[in-house]
């Protein structure tokens, strides 16, 4: 993904184990060489969780 400084993007992942649907979402905000993860949420079936941690494992380039 290629973004300009000061921009934001939204990442999401949806998958199922055959019985339950899992949805993970997070927002990334870019400022200079920094990236901040905000708004991490998880939906399991019909349960909405807002206290979910998001992690950035690697940044390639800046």
């Amino acid at each position: 993904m290629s973004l300009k400084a000061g921009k934001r993007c939204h990442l999401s992942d949806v998958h199922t184990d055959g019985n339950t649907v899992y949805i993970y979402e997070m927002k990334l905000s870019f400022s200079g060489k920094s990236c901040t993860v905000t708004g991490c949420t998880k939906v399991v079936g019909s349960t909405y969780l807002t206290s979910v941690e998001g992690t950035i494992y690697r940044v390639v380039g800046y």
Side-chain angles (χ1 to χ4, degrees), residues 12 14 16-17 19 30 35 42 47:
S12 62
V14 179
T16 182
D17 64 5
N19 298 315
F30 298 90
C35 179
K42 177 180 178 180
T47 305

Side-chain angles (χ1 to χ4, degrees), residues 3-44:
L3 298 171
K4 294 180 181 179
K7 298 294 182 179
R8 290 179 245 170
C9 79
H10 176 259
L11 300 176
S12 62
D13 174 49
V14 179
H15 63 275
T16 182
D17 64 5
N19 298 315
T20 306
V21 175
Y22 299 86
I23 303 170
Y24 298 90
E25 298 178 318
M26 74 171 56
K27 295 174 191 164
L28 302 175
S29 298
F30 298 90
S31 177
K33 295 181 181 180
S34 299
C35 179
T36 305
V37 178
T38 60
C40 296
T41 58
K42 177 180 178 180
V43 179
V44 179

